[in-house]
Amino acid sequence: MSRAHATFEIAVDLVVLTVRDGRLAVLLIERGNEPFRGRPALPGGFLRAGEDLLDAAARELAEETGLRGITPDLRQVATYAAPGRDPRGRVATVAYLAILPDLPVPTAGTDAAIARWAPVGPGPDGLAFDHDRILADAVEHARRLLEDTPLATAFCREPFTVAELRGVYEAVWGVALDPRNFHRKVTGVPGYVEPTGDLRSLPTGRPAALFRRGPAEALYPPLQRPRRSLPAPQGD
Amino acid sequence: MSRAHATFEIAVDLVVLTVRDGRLAVLLIERGNEPFRGRPALPGGFLRAGEDLLDAAARELAEETGLRGITPDLRQVATYAAPGRDPRGRVATVAYLAILPDLPVPTAGTDAAIARWAPVGPGPDGLAFDHDRILADAVEHARRLLEDTPLATAFCREPFTVAELRGVYEAVWGVALDPRNFHRKVTGVPGYVEPTGDLRSLPTGRPAALFRRGPAEALYPPLQRPRRSLPAPQGD
DNA sequence: TCTCCATATCGTCGGAGTGACGATAACGGA
DNA sequence: TCCGTTATCGTCACTCCGACGATATGGAGA
Protein backbone atom coordinates (compact mmCIF):
# COMPACT_ATOMS: atom_id res chain seq x y z
CA MET A 1 0.00 0.00 0.00
CA SER A 2 1.49 3.28 -1.03
CA ARG A 3 2.17 5.87 1.63
CA ALA A 4 2.35 8.80 -0.73
CA HIS A 5 -0.26 10.83 1.07
CA ALA A 6 0.51 14.14 2.61
CA THR A 7 1.03 14.24 6.35
CA PHE A 8 -0.34 16.87 8.65
CA GLU A 9 -0.09 18.28 12.05
CA ILE A 10 -3.43 18.56 13.77
CA ALA A 11 -4.25 21.46 16.02
CA VAL A 12 -7.19 22.09 18.30
CA ASP A 13 -8.44 25.66 18.50
CA LEU A 14 -10.82 26.86 21.18
CA VAL A 15 -13.62 29.33 20.88
CA VAL A 16 -14.26 30.12 24.53
CA LEU A 17 -17.29 32.34 24.92
CA THR A 18 -18.74 34.19 27.87
CA VAL A 19 -21.02 37.12 28.52
CA ARG A 20 -19.38 40.17 30.08
CA ASP A 21 -21.19 43.42 30.74
CA GLY A 22 -24.10 42.23 28.70
CA ARG A 23 -21.98 41.53 25.64
CA LEU A 24 -20.70 38.36 24.08
CA ALA A 25 -16.96 37.98 24.55
CA VAL A 26 -14.35 35.53 23.31
CA LEU A 27 -11.09 34.49 24.89
CA LEU A 28 -8.16 35.58 22.73
CA ILE A 29 -4.44 35.29 23.14
CA GLU A 30 -1.67 37.37 21.68
CA ARG A 31 0.65 35.31 19.57
CA GLY A 32 4.18 35.28 20.90
CA ASN A 33 5.74 33.51 17.95
CA GLU A 34 5.76 33.69 14.22
CA PRO A 35 3.72 33.47 12.19
CA PHE A 36 1.30 36.25 13.07
CA ARG A 37 3.46 37.29 16.02
CA GLY A 38 1.66 39.91 18.06
CA ARG A 39 -1.67 39.29 16.40
CA PRO A 40 -4.66 38.13 18.41
CA ALA A 41 -5.67 34.53 17.88
CA LEU A 42 -7.84 31.82 19.31
CA PRO A 43 -6.13 29.75 21.97
CA GLY A 44 -5.17 26.30 20.86
CA GLY A 45 -2.38 23.85 20.42
CA PHE A 46 -1.25 20.74 18.70
CA LEU A 47 -2.65 17.31 19.21
CA ARG A 48 -0.14 15.12 20.98
CA ALA A 49 0.72 11.52 20.35
CA GLY A 50 -1.82 9.20 21.87
CA GLU A 51 -4.25 12.01 22.58
CA ASP A 52 -7.82 12.30 21.34
CA LEU A 53 -9.33 15.53 20.10
CA LEU A 54 -11.60 16.16 23.05
CA ASP A 55 -8.80 15.49 25.49
CA ALA A 56 -6.56 17.95 23.70
CA ALA A 57 -9.30 20.57 23.76
CA ALA A 58 -9.84 20.07 27.47
CA ARG A 59 -6.10 20.25 28.13
CA GLU A 60 -5.72 23.46 26.18
CA LEU A 61 -8.70 24.98 27.92
CA ALA A 62 -7.23 24.18 31.30
CA GLU A 63 -3.86 25.59 30.31
CA GLU A 64 -5.26 28.82 28.91
CA THR A 65 -7.84 29.58 31.55
CA GLY A 66 -6.25 28.05 34.60
CA LEU A 67 -9.45 26.16 35.26
CA ARG A 68 -8.90 22.88 37.00
CA GLY A 69 -11.45 20.27 37.79
CA ILE A 70 -14.15 22.08 35.89
CA THR A 71 -15.34 20.27 32.83
CA PRO A 72 -17.30 22.67 30.71
CA ASP A 73 -19.02 21.05 27.82
CA LEU A 74 -16.80 21.20 24.80
CA ARG A 75 -18.48 20.81 21.46
CA GLN A 76 -16.72 20.18 18.20
CA VAL A 77 -17.71 22.79 15.64
CA ALA A 78 -15.81 22.15 12.43
CA THR A 79 -12.44 21.29 10.94
CA TYR A 80 -10.36 23.51 8.71
CA ALA A 81 -7.53 22.27 6.54
CA ALA A 82 -7.21 24.60 3.57
CA PRO A 83 -3.75 24.50 2.06
CA GLY A 84 -1.89 27.61 3.02
CA ARG A 85 -3.97 28.39 6.08
CA ASP A 86 -0.81 27.97 8.16
CA PRO A 87 2.44 29.30 6.68
CA ARG A 88 4.46 26.76 8.63
CA GLY A 89 3.13 23.88 6.60
CA ARG A 90 0.18 21.63 6.41
CA VAL A 91 -1.85 22.05 9.58
CA ALA A 92 -5.45 21.03 10.04
CA THR A 93 -7.32 22.46 12.97
CA VAL A 94 -10.39 21.19 14.76
CA ALA A 95 -12.41 23.96 16.35
CA TYR A 96 -14.11 23.41 19.69
CA LEU A 97 -16.71 25.59 21.33
CA ALA A 98 -16.63 26.11 25.10
CA ILE A 99 -19.01 28.20 27.16
CA LEU A 100 -18.02 29.62 30.52
CA PRO A 101 -19.65 31.91 33.06
CA ASP A 102 -18.13 35.34 33.38
CA LEU A 103 -14.89 34.64 35.20
CA PRO A 104 -13.13 37.29 37.25
CA VAL A 105 -10.15 37.17 34.91
CA PRO A 106 -8.99 34.65 32.34
CA THR A 107 -6.06 33.96 34.65
CA ALA A 108 -3.65 34.77 31.90
CA GLY A 109 -0.02 33.87 31.82
CA THR A 110 -0.51 30.29 32.88
CA ASP A 111 0.77 29.31 29.48
CA ALA A 112 2.92 31.17 27.04
CA ALA A 113 0.56 33.90 26.01
CA ILE A 114 -1.47 36.77 27.34
CA ALA A 115 -5.13 35.86 27.36
CA ARG A 116 -7.94 38.39 27.43
CA TRP A 117 -11.65 38.68 26.82
CA ALA A 118 -12.51 40.53 23.63
CA PRO A 119 -16.01 41.56 22.65
CA VAL A 120 -17.43 39.71 19.69
CA GLY A 121 -18.51 42.20 17.06
CA PRO A 122 -20.37 41.77 13.83
CA GLY A 123 -17.34 42.23 11.62
CA PRO A 124 -13.94 40.57 11.39
CA ASP A 125 -11.52 41.08 14.23
CA GLY A 126 -8.23 40.74 12.41
CA LEU A 127 -7.34 37.44 14.02
CA ALA A 128 -4.41 35.31 12.97
CA PHE A 129 -4.73 32.46 10.48
CA ASP A 130 -8.36 31.84 9.49
CA HIS A 131 -9.54 32.42 13.03
CA ASP A 132 -12.03 35.13 12.04
CA ARG A 133 -13.88 32.53 10.04
CA ILE A 134 -13.63 29.93 12.78
CA LEU A 135 -14.94 32.38 15.34
CA ALA A 136 -17.87 33.34 13.13
CA ASP A 137 -18.78 29.70 12.54
CA ALA A 138 -18.58 28.92 16.24
CA VAL A 139 -20.72 31.88 17.24
CA GLU A 140 -23.37 30.89 14.75
CA HIS A 141 -23.17 27.38 16.18
CA ALA A 142 -23.72 28.72 19.68
CA ARG A 143 -26.67 30.79 18.53
CA ARG A 144 -28.36 27.70 17.19
CA LEU A 145 -27.58 25.68 20.30
CA LEU A 146 -29.27 28.24 22.51
CA GLU A 147 -32.53 27.50 20.78
CA ASP A 148 -32.98 23.87 21.70
CA THR A 149 -30.33 22.96 24.25
CA PRO A 150 -29.71 24.19 27.79
CA LEU A 151 -26.38 25.64 26.66
CA ALA A 152 -27.30 29.12 27.87
CA THR A 153 -27.10 27.99 31.49
CA ALA A 154 -23.40 27.28 30.94
CA PHE A 155 -22.92 31.05 30.69
CA CYS A 156 -24.30 31.48 34.22
CA ARG A 157 -22.94 30.70 37.63
CA GLU A 158 -25.43 28.87 39.79
CA PRO A 159 -27.74 29.89 41.14
CA PHE A 160 -28.96 32.34 38.53
CA THR A 161 -32.01 34.45 37.89
CA VAL A 162 -34.27 34.41 34.89
CA ALA A 163 -33.05 37.90 34.05
CA GLU A 164 -29.45 36.69 33.95
CA LEU A 165 -30.42 33.88 31.63
CA ARG A 166 -32.30 36.34 29.47
CA GLY A 167 -29.18 38.51 29.34
CA VAL A 168 -27.31 35.55 27.89
CA TYR A 169 -29.81 35.12 25.10
CA GLU A 170 -29.84 38.81 24.38
CA ALA A 171 -26.06 39.03 24.27
CA VAL A 172 -25.55 35.97 22.09
CA TRP A 173 -28.44 36.59 19.74
CA GLY A 174 -27.96 40.32 19.74
CA VAL A 175 -31.64 41.07 20.21
CA ALA A 176 -33.84 42.40 22.96
CA LEU A 177 -36.33 39.95 24.41
CA ASP A 178 -39.57 40.65 26.25
CA PRO A 179 -38.92 39.86 29.93
CA ARG A 180 -42.46 38.62 30.51
CA ASN A 181 -42.64 36.27 27.59
CA PHE A 182 -39.11 35.04 28.25
CA HIS A 183 -39.97 34.26 31.84
CA ARG A 184 -43.06 32.34 30.79
CA LYS A 185 -41.21 30.30 28.19
CA VAL A 186 -38.13 29.46 30.24
CA THR A 187 -40.08 28.35 33.26
CA GLY A 188 -42.44 26.45 30.99
CA VAL A 189 -39.85 24.17 29.40
CA PRO A 190 -39.82 20.94 31.41
CA GLY A 191 -36.46 20.31 33.02
CA TYR A 192 -34.74 23.47 31.83
CA VAL A 193 -34.41 25.34 35.13
CA GLU A 194 -35.40 24.40 38.67
CA PRO A 195 -36.20 26.90 41.40
CA THR A 196 -33.93 26.74 44.41
CA GLY A 197 -36.52 28.45 46.58
CA ASP A 198 -34.20 31.33 47.40
CA LEU A 199 -34.35 34.93 46.29
CA ARG A 200 -31.71 37.42 45.33
CA SER A 201 -32.09 41.13 45.96
CA LEU A 202 -30.61 43.52 43.49
CA PRO A 203 -29.75 47.16 44.16
CA THR A 204 -33.17 47.97 42.83
CA GLY A 205 -36.42 46.27 42.01
CA ARG A 206 -38.26 43.28 43.31
CA PRO A 207 -36.03 40.36 44.35
CA ALA A 208 -35.75 37.62 41.78
CA ALA A 209 -36.19 33.90 42.31
CA LEU A 210 -33.04 31.82 41.93
CA PHE A 211 -32.75 28.76 39.73
CA ARG A 212 -30.34 25.98 38.96
CA ARG A 213 -29.94 23.90 35.80
CA GLY A 214 -32.50 21.18 35.30
CA PRO A 215 -31.98 17.69 33.90
CA ALA A 216 -33.22 18.44 30.38
CA GLU A 217 -30.71 17.86 27.59
CA ALA A 218 -32.98 19.32 24.94
CA LEU A 219 -35.49 22.11 25.17
CA TYR A 220 -39.02 21.41 24.14
CA PRO A 221 -40.67 23.57 23.19
CA PRO A 222 -37.54 25.31 21.91
CA LEU A 223 -36.80 28.97 22.50
CA GLN A 224 -36.66 30.21 18.95
CA ARG A 225 -34.83 33.39 18.16
CA PRO A 226 -36.95 36.03 16.52
CA ARG A 227 -37.31 35.51 12.78
CA ARG A 228 -37.65 38.43 10.48
CA SER A 229 -39.64 36.55 7.86
CA LEU A 230 -42.72 38.62 8.45
CA PRO A 231 -45.18 38.35 5.59
CA ALA A 232 -44.06 41.70 4.16
CA PRO A 233 -47.15 43.72 5.04
CA GLN A 234 -48.82 44.94 1.89
CA GLY A 235 -48.05 48.59 1.52
CA ASP A 236 -51.31 50.55 1.31
CA MET B 1 9.80 26.25 18.31
CA SER B 2 9.86 22.54 18.84
CA ARG B 3 8.32 20.35 16.21
CA ALA B 4 7.81 17.33 18.39
CA HIS B 5 4.13 16.99 17.66
CA ALA B 6 2.66 13.85 16.23
CA THR B 7 1.91 13.82 12.52
CA PHE B 8 -1.17 12.41 10.96
CA GLU B 9 -2.68 11.34 7.75
CA ILE B 10 -6.05 12.90 7.13
CA ALA B 11 -8.84 10.99 5.46
CA VAL B 12 -12.22 12.09 4.22
CA ASP B 13 -15.08 9.64 4.67
CA LEU B 14 -18.40 10.00 2.91
CA VAL B 15 -21.84 9.22 4.23
CA VAL B 16 -23.83 9.15 1.01
CA LEU B 17 -27.52 8.74 1.69
CA THR B 18 -30.48 8.11 -0.53
CA VAL B 19 -33.98 6.74 -0.25
CA ARG B 20 -34.61 3.43 -1.99
CA ASP B 21 -37.88 1.58 -1.85
CA GLY B 22 -39.07 3.86 0.88
CA ARG B 23 -36.11 3.16 3.09
CA LEU B 24 -33.03 5.16 3.97
CA ALA B 25 -29.92 3.67 2.39
CA VAL B 26 -26.22 4.41 2.62
CA LEU B 27 -23.49 3.83 0.06
CA LEU B 28 -20.99 1.27 1.33
CA ILE B 29 -17.93 -0.29 -0.18
CA GLU B 30 -16.27 -3.57 0.57
CA ARG B 31 -12.73 -3.10 1.73
CA GLY B 32 -10.19 -4.70 -0.58
CA ASN B 33 -7.18 -4.22 1.64
CA GLU B 34 -6.16 -4.70 5.19
CA PRO B 35 -7.13 -3.67 7.70
CA PHE B 36 -10.76 -4.79 7.81
CA ARG B 37 -10.35 -6.53 4.44
CA GLY B 38 -13.74 -7.71 3.21
CA ARG B 39 -15.65 -5.65 5.74
CA PRO B 40 -18.11 -3.03 4.62
CA ALA B 41 -17.02 0.55 5.14
CA LEU B 42 -17.87 4.08 4.21
CA PRO B 43 -16.23 5.24 1.01
CA GLY B 44 -13.40 7.66 1.50
CA GLY B 45 -9.78 8.36 0.91
CA PHE B 46 -6.82 10.34 1.97
CA LEU B 47 -6.42 14.04 1.63
CA ARG B 48 -3.81 14.85 -0.98
CA ALA B 49 -1.12 17.47 -0.93
CA GLY B 50 -2.51 20.87 -1.79
CA GLU B 51 -6.10 19.69 -1.53
CA ASP B 52 -8.79 21.12 0.73
CA LEU B 53 -11.26 18.96 2.61
CA LEU B 54 -14.30 19.78 0.52
CA ASP B 55 -12.40 19.16 -2.69
CA ALA B 56 -11.27 15.79 -1.44
CA ALA B 57 -14.81 14.89 -0.48
CA ALA B 58 -16.10 15.89 -3.91
CA ARG B 59 -13.34 13.94 -5.62
CA GLU B 60 -14.04 10.81 -3.61
CA LEU B 61 -17.74 11.13 -4.26
CA ALA B 62 -17.16 11.37 -7.99
CA GLU B 63 -14.81 8.39 -7.92
CA GLU B 64 -17.13 6.20 -5.90
CA THR B 65 -20.41 7.01 -7.59
CA GLY B 66 -19.25 7.82 -11.08
CA LEU B 67 -21.12 11.07 -10.92
CA ARG B 68 -19.58 13.78 -13.01
CA GLY B 69 -20.63 17.36 -13.23
CA ILE B 70 -23.15 16.97 -10.46
CA THR B 71 -22.29 18.89 -7.33
CA PRO B 72 -24.47 17.62 -4.56
CA ASP B 73 -24.23 19.62 -1.41
CA LEU B 74 -21.57 18.14 0.81
CA ARG B 75 -21.74 19.05 4.46
CA GLN B 76 -19.04 18.44 6.98
CA VAL B 77 -20.37 16.46 9.91
CA ALA B 78 -17.54 15.81 12.35
CA THR B 79 -13.93 14.78 12.70
CA TYR B 80 -12.67 11.64 14.39
CA ALA B 81 -9.11 11.14 15.51
CA ALA B 82 -9.12 8.74 18.44
CA PRO B 83 -5.80 6.98 18.86
CA GLY B 84 -6.11 3.45 17.64
CA ARG B 85 -9.08 4.06 15.39
CA ASP B 86 -6.92 3.01 12.45
CA PRO B 87 -4.50 0.14 13.02
CA ARG B 88 -2.14 1.49 10.38
CA GLY B 89 -1.22 4.46 12.45
CA ARG B 90 -2.45 7.87 13.31
CA VAL B 91 -5.26 8.75 10.93
CA ALA B 92 -7.84 11.46 11.47
CA THR B 93 -10.94 11.39 9.35
CA VAL B 94 -13.35 14.15 8.46
CA ALA B 95 -16.84 12.88 7.76
CA TYR B 96 -18.94 14.48 5.04
CA LEU B 97 -22.63 14.02 4.41
CA ALA B 98 -23.95 13.83 0.85
CA ILE B 99 -27.53 13.37 -0.24
CA LEU B 100 -28.42 11.93 -3.61
CA PRO B 101 -31.63 10.97 -5.36
CA ASP B 102 -32.19 7.27 -5.85
CA LEU B 103 -29.74 6.43 -8.58
CA PRO B 104 -30.25 3.43 -10.86
CA VAL B 105 -27.05 1.84 -9.54
CA PRO B 106 -24.11 3.23 -7.61
CA THR B 107 -22.06 2.58 -10.72
CA ALA B 108 -19.66 0.50 -8.76
CA GLY B 109 -16.22 -0.52 -9.82
CA THR B 110 -15.13 2.89 -10.96
CA ASP B 111 -12.62 2.82 -8.19
CA ALA B 112 -11.04 -0.03 -6.36
CA ALA B 113 -14.02 -1.34 -4.50
CA ILE B 114 -17.49 -2.71 -4.91
CA ALA B 115 -20.03 -0.09 -3.94
CA ARG B 116 -23.59 -0.90 -2.96
CA TRP B 117 -26.59 0.64 -1.28
CA ALA B 118 -27.26 -0.80 2.15
CA PRO B 119 -30.35 -0.05 4.21
CA VAL B 120 -29.72 2.01 7.31
CA GLY B 121 -31.06 0.18 10.32
CA PRO B 122 -31.40 1.20 13.90
CA GLY B 123 -28.51 -0.87 15.16
CA PRO B 124 -24.83 -1.14 14.26
CA ASP B 125 -23.96 -2.53 10.87
CA GLY B 126 -20.56 -3.99 11.60
CA LEU B 127 -18.68 -1.46 9.55
CA ALA B 128 -14.91 -1.15 9.51
CA PHE B 129 -13.04 1.27 11.74
CA ASP B 130 -15.39 3.53 13.70
CA HIS B 131 -17.70 3.90 10.73
CA ASP B 132 -20.77 2.70 12.63
CA ARG B 133 -20.41 5.69 14.87
CA ILE B 134 -19.74 8.05 11.98
CA LEU B 135 -22.78 6.78 10.13
CA ALA B 136 -24.99 7.22 13.16
CA ASP B 137 -23.76 10.76 13.71
CA ALA B 138 -24.31 11.65 10.07
CA VAL B 139 -27.81 10.21 9.98
CA GLU B 140 -28.76 12.18 13.06
CA HIS B 141 -27.31 15.23 11.37
CA ALA B 142 -29.45 14.62 8.30
CA ARG B 143 -32.54 14.17 10.45
CA ARG B 144 -32.01 17.57 11.98
CA LEU B 145 -31.30 19.21 8.64
CA LEU B 146 -34.61 17.99 7.24
CA GLU B 147 -36.40 20.11 9.78
CA ASP B 148 -35.25 23.55 8.77
CA THR B 149 -33.38 23.25 5.48
CA PRO B 150 -34.52 22.18 2.02
CA LEU B 151 -32.18 19.18 2.24
CA ALA B 152 -35.02 16.73 1.62
CA THR B 153 -35.35 17.90 -1.96
CA ALA B 154 -31.81 16.66 -2.59
CA PHE B 155 -33.18 13.13 -2.22
CA CYS B 156 -35.58 13.73 -5.13
CA ARG B 157 -35.08 14.02 -8.84
CA GLU B 158 -36.84 17.01 -10.28
CA PRO B 159 -39.65 17.38 -10.83
CA PHE B 160 -41.08 15.62 -7.81
CA THR B 161 -44.43 15.24 -6.13
CA VAL B 162 -45.37 16.13 -2.60
CA ALA B 163 -45.84 12.43 -1.92
CA GLU B 164 -42.26 11.71 -2.97
CA LEU B 165 -41.00 14.43 -0.67
CA ARG B 166 -43.13 13.02 2.11
CA GLY B 167 -41.59 9.62 1.47
CA VAL B 168 -38.17 11.14 2.08
CA TYR B 169 -39.19 12.50 5.45
CA GLU B 170 -40.83 9.24 6.42
CA ALA B 171 -37.79 7.22 5.43
CA VAL B 172 -35.22 9.44 7.11
CA TRP B 173 -37.19 10.11 10.25
CA GLY B 174 -38.64 6.62 10.40
CA VAL B 175 -42.16 7.82 11.10
CA ALA B 176 -45.45 7.96 9.24
CA LEU B 177 -46.73 11.44 8.42
CA ASP B 178 -50.24 12.54 7.66
CA PRO B 179 -50.41 13.24 3.91
CA ARG B 180 -52.88 16.08 4.31
CA ASN B 181 -51.01 17.96 6.98
CA PHE B 182 -47.71 17.39 5.21
CA HIS B 183 -49.09 18.77 2.00
CA ARG B 184 -50.36 21.85 3.76
CA LYS B 185 -47.08 22.51 5.54
CA VAL B 186 -44.74 21.91 2.61
CA THR B 187 -46.70 24.08 0.22
CA GLY B 188 -47.04 26.70 2.93
CA VAL B 189 -43.34 27.27 3.51
CA PRO B 190 -42.32 30.23 1.35
CA GLY B 191 -39.72 29.27 -1.23
CA TYR B 192 -39.49 25.59 -0.37
CA VAL B 193 -41.11 24.08 -3.48
CA GLU B 194 -42.50 25.68 -6.61
CA PRO B 195 -45.19 24.13 -8.78
CA THR B 196 -44.13 23.42 -12.34
CA GLY B 197 -47.71 23.40 -13.49
CA ASP B 198 -47.46 19.83 -14.76
CA LEU B 199 -49.03 16.70 -13.39
CA ARG B 200 -47.79 13.16 -13.08
CA SER B 201 -50.12 10.18 -13.32
CA LEU B 202 -49.37 7.14 -11.27
CA PRO B 203 -50.68 3.65 -11.95
CA THR B 204 -53.47 4.48 -9.58
CA GLY B 205 -55.06 7.48 -7.99
CA ARG B 206 -55.48 11.10 -8.86
CA PRO B 207 -52.50 12.64 -10.70
CA ALA B 208 -50.19 14.66 -8.52
CA ALA B 209 -48.88 18.15 -9.14
CA LEU B 210 -45.17 18.38 -9.87
CA PHE B 211 -42.77 20.69 -8.07
CA ARG B 212 -39.21 21.85 -8.26
CA ARG B 213 -36.93 23.21 -5.56
CA GLY B 214 -37.55 26.78 -4.54
CA PRO B 215 -35.00 29.43 -3.62
CA ALA B 216 -35.35 29.10 0.16
CA GLU B 217 -32.19 28.14 2.02
CA ALA B 218 -33.97 27.76 5.33
CA LEU B 219 -37.47 26.58 6.08
CA TYR B 220 -39.73 28.85 8.04
CA PRO B 221 -41.84 27.71 9.58
CA PRO B 222 -39.78 24.54 10.02
CA LEU B 223 -41.14 21.05 9.52
CA GLN B 224 -40.59 19.63 12.95
CA ARG B 225 -40.40 15.90 13.43
CA PRO B 226 -42.93 14.50 15.83
CA ARG B 227 -41.81 14.80 19.44
CA ARG B 228 -42.69 12.20 21.97
CA SER B 229 -42.68 14.56 24.91
CA LEU B 230 -46.41 14.33 25.40
CA PRO B 231 -47.50 15.60 28.79
CA ALA B 232 -47.74 12.04 30.12
CA PRO B 233 -51.52 11.76 30.41
CA GLN B 234 -52.46 11.21 34.02
CA GLY B 235 -53.31 7.59 34.48
CA ASP B 236 -56.48 7.32 36.51
C1' DT C 1 -44.52 57.09 56.48
C1' DC C 2 -45.55 57.94 51.80
C1' DT C 3 -44.22 58.32 47.02
C1' DC C 4 -41.60 57.05 43.25
C1' DC C 5 -38.93 53.95 40.63
C1' DA C 6 -37.19 49.74 38.92
C1' DT C 7 -37.52 45.08 38.34
C1' DA C 8 -40.08 40.57 38.79
C1' DT C 9 -43.97 37.96 37.91
C1' DC C 10 -48.67 36.92 36.49
C1' DG C 11 -52.64 37.50 33.09
C1' DT C 12 -55.10 38.45 28.92
C1' DC C 13 -55.99 38.49 24.13
C1' DG C 14 -55.66 37.76 19.27
C1' DG C 15 -53.20 35.43 15.68
C1' DA C 16 -50.37 31.72 13.78
C1' DG C 17 -49.31 26.86 13.57
C1' DT C 18 -50.58 22.05 14.18
C1' DG C 19 -52.51 17.35 14.67
C1' DA C 20 -56.65 14.73 13.83
C1' DC C 21 -59.59 13.80 10.52
C1' DG C 22 -63.80 14.64 7.32
C1' DA C 23 -64.91 15.79 2.51
C1' DT C 24 -64.09 16.16 -2.24
C1' DA C 25 -61.44 15.59 -6.72
C1' DA C 26 -59.56 12.96 -10.31
C1' DC C 27 -57.66 9.24 -12.20
C1' DG C 28 -57.48 3.68 -13.69
C1' DG C 29 -59.62 -0.55 -13.68
C1' DA C 30 -63.43 -4.05 -12.80
C1' DT D 1 -71.15 2.74 -13.69
C1' DC D 2 -69.01 1.55 -9.52
C1' DC D 3 -64.90 1.17 -6.87
C1' DG D 4 -60.40 1.61 -5.09
C1' DT D 5 -56.65 4.73 -4.72
C1' DT D 6 -54.22 8.78 -4.26
C1' DA D 7 -54.29 13.97 -4.21
C1' DT D 8 -55.96 18.04 -2.34
C1' DC D 9 -58.87 21.14 0.34
C1' DG D 10 -61.39 22.27 4.73
C1' DT D 11 -62.66 22.22 9.58
C1' DC D 12 -61.95 22.25 14.41
C1' DA D 13 -59.84 22.31 18.71
C1' DC D 14 -55.70 22.99 20.96
C1' DT D 15 -51.13 24.93 21.77
C1' DC D 16 -47.84 28.41 21.41
C1' DC D 17 -46.42 32.98 20.78
C1' DG D 18 -45.86 37.99 20.68
C1' DA D 19 -47.70 42.30 22.44
C1' DC D 20 -48.74 44.36 26.35
C1' DG D 21 -51.61 45.47 30.69
C1' DA D 22 -51.64 44.66 35.66
C1' DT D 23 -49.77 43.60 39.98
C1' DA D 24 -46.00 42.40 43.44
C1' DT D 25 -42.07 43.72 45.98
C1' DG D 26 -37.95 45.58 46.95
C1' DG D 27 -34.94 50.29 47.72
C1' DA D 28 -34.34 55.40 47.55
C1' DG D 29 -35.79 59.74 48.55
C1' DA D 30 -39.34 63.37 50.09
Side-chain angles (χ1 to χ4, degrees), chain B residues 26-92:
Chain B
V26 60
L27 187 68
L28 296 182
I29 58 140
E30 189 126 343
R31 285 190 58 78
N33 303 82
E34 294 296 341
F36 299 105
R37 179 178 198 133
R39 285 272 285 282
L42 297 173
F46 287 99
L47 189 58
R48 295 178 180 168
E51 191 178 42
D52 200 353
L53 292 167
L54 188 59
D55 299 325
R59 171 177 57 77
E60 291 290 340
L61 180 63
E63 289 176 1
E64 303 287 352
T65 65
L67 289 178
R68 307 287 173 180
I70 300 181
T71 311
D73 64 299
L74 282 158
R75 296 162 188 267
Q76 187 180 307
V77 174
T79 298
Y80 305 82
R85 63 171 294 278
D86 190 321
R88 293 167 293 186
R90 208 62 203 280
V91 178

Side-chain angles (χ1 to χ4, degrees), chain A residues 10 52-54 76-80 92-96, chain B residues 10-11 53 76-82 85 92-96 130 133-134 137:
Chain A
I10 294 183
D52 200 353
L53 292 167
L54 187 59
Q76 188 180 307
V77 174
T79 298
Y80 304 83
T93 193
V94 183
Y96 274 81
Chain B
I10 294 183
L53 292 167
Q76 187 180 307
V77 174
T79 298
Y80 305 82
R85 63 171 294 278
T93 194
V94 183
Y96 274 81
D130 49 359
R133 165 78 187 287
I134 295 174
D137 289 350

Side-chain angles (χ1 to χ4, degrees), chain A residues 59-121:
Chain A
R59 172 177 55 78
E60 292 290 339
L61 181 63
E63 290 176 0
E64 304 287 352
T65 66
L67 289 178
R68 306 286 173 180
I70 300 181
T71 311
D73 62 301
L74 282 159
R75 296 162 188 266
Q76 188 180 307
V77 174
T79 298
Y80 304 83
R85 64 170 294 278
D86 190 322
R88 290 168 294 187
R90 208 62 202 280
V91 178
T93 193
V94 183
Y96 274 81
L97 174 66
I99 307 293
L100 295 179
D102 183 13
L103 298 174
V105 173
T107 315
T110 310
D111 203 354
I114 306 146
R116 70 171 203 275
W117 292 115
V120 175

